[in-house]
Amino acid sequence: MSTAARAVSPAAAARPPLPRRLRPARCTGGAAAATEMATAGPARVATVSNSGDSLAICRVLNGMWQTSGGWGRIDRDAAVDAMLAYADAGLSTFDMADHYGPAEDLYGMFINRVRRERPPELLEEIKGLTKWVPPPVKMTRSYVEDNINRSRKRMDVAALDMLQFHWWDYSNPGYLDALKHITDLKEEGKIKTVALTNFDTDRLQIILENGIPVVCNQVQHSVVDMRPQQRMAELCQLTGVKLITYGTVMGGLLSEKFLDTNVSIPFAGPPLNTPSLQKYKRMVDAWGGWSLFQTLLQTLKKVSLKHGVPIATVAVRYILNQVSSFAS
């Protein structure tokens, strides 16, 4: 089992492109990349696969939740410029959803600029992973296909690289009908790989037992939230299903910015002014509170100083070192 982490915020859409001098080692496949990985440390790209379906993706993904609203106005041209800068830097896998505001539309704009302005080799590297989160209504073939076609049109692709499916109501077994239709659409060439998001271990096992070729499940996972390394990790190790993780840096809480701060006192610390910061602050409260979280940050800081990297890098590496993980 291996993990991928979503680590780049699309809120960066409003920022200038990354200077080329800051470009990291590329996240690519092929023999040259394999040689580099064998000599330079952990792999930067990995393959998710099941039943003959496979997709090579970066182990660190560009997450696009921040385009969904709550982070301020999105400048679409600046967003696409930022996506191009990340792709040029080697971070070429993008993770989005049908309900992340204009995320799929931005990807469509982005991929068309890559087709026009970049060499074919870069186009081959880029992967767009999206999610479909329908209401728990009757899952007919036409309903499923219409929604998948909508994402294909918005992203301007003939086939979705990965479709990650979520279901809100486990008491309604319609998720199996939906996944069977999704698998049929994959066989027809409209989807390359089938995946899940936020499914629990019991339902993942049921889905696999029904012959759905799931390649990965996207779940919340961080140094604070280690739930996936219990039953989920064991099942993934047995079946080869991978984990894509979100919340890996907890919206930015796992950083120097929040070290030695007290956010309980108004204006005494950095503001919790985004939906992700507010969400993961609630996770900290449920986990053990801000005082314990400060102890964790202090420990992570010691590790980061030892290796000459930021706290966030230590947090991401820890999750990437877990069984079956990618980070988003």
Side-chain angles (χ1 to χ4, degrees), residues 227 277 317 328:
R227 289 174 296 174
L277 286 171
R317 170 47 61 193
S328 140

Side-chain angles (χ1 to χ4, degrees), residues 143-162:
Y143 182 80
V144 174
E145 186 171 17
D146 286 349
N147 280 275
I148 299 312
N149 285 341
R150 185 176 299 112
S151 289
R152 291 168 60 223
K153 182 177 181 180
R154 292 178 69 191
M155 296 172 67
D156 200 10
V157 293
L160 303 176
D161 289 323
M162 179 185 292

Side-chain angles (χ1 to χ4, degrees), residues 307-321:
H307 295 277
V309 297
I311 287 174
T313 300
V314 177
V316 171
R317 170 47 61 193
Y318 180 80
I319 295 303
L320 289 175
N321 284 349

